[in-house]
């Protein structure tokens, strides 16, 4: 298995181009199931999760092809063309769904267009049990009959879905996305209340509108969808990755660096920028993006993860590394997932002073972290270990780096171009 080796202590200086958001790209790819015409997506990141979704769709009969040439063999500047003819299979098999929970996003589009879907029930994952009950309840409210059998979700709506008033009891990103896609082809009007407002949900809604859907309230917590008979093809560029941006902003801050994050959109990152500023990080909006500078005097802060526009759970592990090397104490509370502190014992092995009490972590800043052998457990925990390695004294070796490849495009390349000493050792 590959490992990542980092010699810490180098300030990062230069520019990093922010790629397309994985969490926007995945639902956008699933929307191709809503139309027989071709959907063309650009600004897709080159990541393992994107390949998994491509694989799932092509197994189901969608024609997936890459158009155009990219200079570095990546997806940058290329367009992914997806065509889901009327003969598409409506089963998403276990082997593919178990690799990536977001595969469940094919459920809404399949029932809406074909009146049937059989999708493997995603299992738990490292950060919690992560049920899909809210997706299923909402589809039932839209007239689908749902059965769970042999590990599969079997959904049927032979006469099509009908519009309904859906009130999500919890904010759910995937649930909002599944129902938004389904509602575009349902009969009549669907109201989605307490909808997730994450920028990736708005990106999906904007793409659906480009495909002919009727959606009002984009960016708010109440989406009104008026069903149409059919959707058509479109060309759409995936929004930039705010989590990638936030992760590199922290890399600049903790190494006393100076990075220009090209293409970063501060409007999608206000909560993270606020906390960084409170911690003493210098952030300057420039024409090409956001410049982030470490001031050498980081200070502790308190933060709680919340649905957008609150502080994202996907930035919690990275922010903890900043707290670990800041002056004073910080309190970090995780309110979205029940088991999202797996990076804590690994950071403690590197010398961090962190105590977890229920859903809060008290982090007392230390003078320095020390390189160690550590184990990646999930995507965002893995990148937090990379950040810790960049600021630690000595060598850090990260095992199980396949987690990183799910969500960070050309990570070693982007960081080493800015002065980090980081390499992947094939194993
Ligand atoms: C998405 C993101 C993930 C991010 C998360 C929260 C993608 C591909 N993934 O995940 O990176 O961390 O949003 O911002 O976009 N829940 C239920 N029942 C449901 C659905 C959710 O109880 O039917 C709970 C979950 O267990 C969790 C909370 O609601 O505690 C939020 O989950 P949700 O927003 O649905 O996360 P995902 O869409 O899976």
């Amino acid at each position: 298995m590959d490992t990542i080796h980092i010699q810490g202590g180098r300030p990062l200086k230069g520019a990093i181009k922010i790629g397309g958001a994985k969490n926007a790209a995945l639902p956008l790819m699933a929307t191709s199931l809503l139309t027989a015409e071709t959907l063309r997506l650009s600004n897709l990141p080159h990541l393992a999760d994107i390949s998994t979704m491509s694989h799932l769709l092509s197994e189901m009969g969608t024609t997936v092809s890459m158009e155009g040439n990219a200079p570095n063999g990546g997806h940058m500047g290329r367009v992914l063309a997806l065509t889901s003819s009327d003969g598409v299979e409506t089963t998403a098999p276990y082997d593919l769904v178990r690799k990536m929970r977001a595969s469940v996003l094919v459920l809404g589009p399949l029932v809406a267009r074909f009146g049937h879907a059989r999708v493997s029930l995603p299992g738990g994952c490292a950060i919690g049990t992560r049920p899909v009950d809210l997706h299923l309840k909402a589809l039932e409210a839209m007239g689908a009959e749902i059965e769970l059998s042999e590990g599969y979700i079997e959904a049927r709506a032979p006469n099509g879905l009908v519009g309904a008033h859906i009130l999500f009891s919890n904010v759910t990103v995937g649930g909002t996305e599944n129902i938004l896609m389904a509602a575009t082809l349902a009969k009549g009007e669907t109201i989605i209340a307490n909808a997730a407002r994450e920028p990736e949900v708005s990106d999906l809604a904007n793409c659906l509108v480009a495909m002919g859907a009727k959606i009002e309230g984009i960016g708010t917590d109440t989406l009104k969808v008026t069903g149409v008979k059919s959707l058509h093809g479109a060309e759409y560029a995936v929004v930039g990755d705010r989590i990638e941006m936030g992760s590199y902003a922290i890399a600049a801050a903790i190494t006393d660096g100076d990075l220009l994050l090209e293409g970063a959109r501060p409007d999608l990152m206000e909560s993270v920028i606020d906390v960084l500023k409170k911690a003493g990080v210098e952030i300057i909006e420039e024409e090409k993006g956001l410049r982030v500078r470490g001031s050498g005097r980081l200070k502790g802060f308190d933060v709680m993860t919340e649905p957008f526009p609150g502080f994202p759970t996907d930035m919690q592990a990275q922010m903890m590394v900043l707290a670990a090397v800041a002056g004073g104490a910080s309190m970090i509370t995780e309110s979205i997932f029940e088991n999202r502190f797996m990076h804590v014992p690994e950071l403690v092995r590197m010398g961090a002073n962190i105590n977890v009490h229920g859903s809060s972590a008290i982090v007392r800043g230390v003078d320095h972290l020390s390189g160690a052998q550590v184990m990646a457990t999930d995507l965002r925990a893995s990148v937090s270990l990379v950040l810790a390695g960049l600021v630690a004294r000595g060598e850090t070796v990260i095992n199980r780096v396949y987690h990183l490849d799910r969500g960070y495009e050309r990570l070693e390349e982007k960081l080493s171009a800015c002065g980090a000493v980081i390499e992947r050792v094939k194993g």
Side-chain angles (χ1 to χ4, degrees):
M1 251 189 270
D2 293 2
T3 49
I4 283 184
H5 295 236
I6 304 172
Q7 305 290 338
R10 295 350 188 242
L12 296 186
K13 297 213 160 121
I16 292 183
K17 193 166 173 11
I18 302 304
K22 163 181 89 74
N23 285 355
L26 295 172
L28 288 172
M29 290 169 76
T31 59
S32 73
L33 291 169
L34 287 165
T35 173
E37 294 185 17
T38 302
L39 174 67
R40 289 191 166 76
L41 298 174
S42 58
N43 198 35
L44 277 174
H46 187 44
L47 297 170
D49 275 10
I50 303 297
S51 310
T52 305
M53 186 58 108
S54 290
H55 190 185
L56 171 64
L57 291 171
S58 59
E59 284 281 301
M60 290 166 60
T62 300
T63 309
V64 183
S65 63
M66 214 25 122
E67 298 174 346
N69 289 315
N72 54 10
H75 287 185
M76 198 96 79
R78 304 182 78 186
V79 171
L80 188 75
L82 302 146
T83 315
S84 304
S85 69
D86 290 337
V88 153
E89 283 278 334
T90 54
T91 295
Y94 173 72
D95 271 359
L96 291 165
V97 175
R98 78 181 163 86
K99 283 195 186 161
M100 185 181 68
R101 296 180 43 82
S103 311
V104 78
L105 292 168
V106 301
L107 178 65
L110 285 176
V111 204
R113 176 161 159 218
F114 300 100
H116 174 252
R118 192 166 176 267
V119 177
S120 174
L121 200 54
C125 73
I127 61 175
T129 48
R130 297 183 81 175
V132 289
D133 55 320
L134 301 176
H135 304 223
L136 303 186
K137 247 172 100 176
L139 282 174
E140 276 177 337
M142 295 174 77
E145 280 174 25
I146 303 218
E147 245 181 85
L148 299 182
S149 78
E150 295 163 358
Y152 277 80
I153 304 163
E154 188 91 45
R156 279 198 188 79
N159 302 317
L161 294 172
V162 283
H165 191 288
I166 312 286
L167 169 62
F168 281 117
S169 54
N170 256 341
V171 178
T172 160
V173 174
T176 303
E177 291 168 344
N178 238 335
I179 300 313
L180 180 60
M181 290 187 276
T184 59
L185 293 183
K187 286 184 204 95
E189 189 179 283
T190 300
I191 305 281
I192 310 176
N194 199 23
R197 284 180 281 167
E198 268 64 6
E200 295 75 25
V201 175
S202 303
D203 209 40
L204 170 65
N206 288 327
C207 176
L208 290 167
V209 168
M211 294 167 73
K214 293 201 172 120
I215 306 173
E216 288 169 46
I218 298 176
T220 75
D221 66 356
T222 308
L223 296 166
K224 182 170 137 189
V225 188
T226 309
V228 294
K229 281 232 149 50
S230 63
L231 295 180
H232 50 72
E235 288 198 27
Y236 194 79
V238 180
V239 70
D241 195 324
R242 63 198 169 102
I243 307 300
E244 185 188 30
M245 190 221 103
S247 305
Y248 289 130
I250 291 179
I254 56 178
T255 61
D256 249 339
D258 185 339
L259 286 182
L260 175 64
L261 305 175
E262 285 178 9
R265 282 187 41 194
D267 57 315
L268 308 182
M269 289 296 288
E270 280 174 11
S271 60
V272 172
I273 290 173
D274 275 2
V275 179
L276 287 172
K277 283 186 173 163
K278 272 187 200 137
V281 181
E282 204 181 323
I283 299 193
I284 305 149
E285 274 185 49
E286 292 187 4
E287 203 189 323
K288 278 189 153 177
L290 219 53
R291 181 169 297 281
V292 184
R293 267 193 207 127
S295 62
R297 292 177 308 277
L298 296 172
K299 46 184 190 284
F301 53 86
D302 289 351
V303 71
M304 175 157 95
T305 63
E306 284 173 324
F308 192 85
F311 188 88
T313 173
D314 286 351
M315 281 300 302
Q316 181 256 106
Q318 301 90 311
M319 203 52 114
M320 194 174 290
V321 177
L322 193 151
V325 295
S330 302
M331 182 155 91
I332 299 180
T333 303
E334 172 58 55
S335 78
I336 310 284
F337 292 109
E338 75 266 31
N339 185 25
R340 211 174 193 179
F341 282 140
M342 274 132 9
H343 42 287
V344 170
E346 302 299 312
L347 293 175
V348 168
R349 297 188 64 248
M350 297 178 71
N353 179 347
I354 308 171
N355 286 295
V356 174
H357 301 274
S359 60
S360 293
I362 313 288
V363 188
R364 292 184 177 85
V366 293
D367 174 60
H368 67 272
L369 296 177
S370 309
Q373 286 256 4
V374 286
M375 187 82 80
T377 49
D378 71 61
L379 172 55
R380 306 303 170 186
S382 318
V383 83
S384 79
L385 299 178
V386 171
L387 293 173
L390 290 173
V391 68
R393 289 187 187 160
E395 188 183 49
T396 297
V397 178
I398 305 174
N399 295 285
R400 297 200 186 156
V401 297
Y402 51 85
H403 290 291
L404 279 173
D405 299 331
R406 292 189 37 222
Y408 288 87
E409 187 180 35
R410 297 183 291 113
L411 175 97
E412 306 97 89
E413 203 184 302
K414 287 186 179 185
L415 287 172
S416 49
C418 297
V421 181
I422 176 168
E423 64 167 343
R424 179 182 294 244
V425 177
K426 296 266 174 212

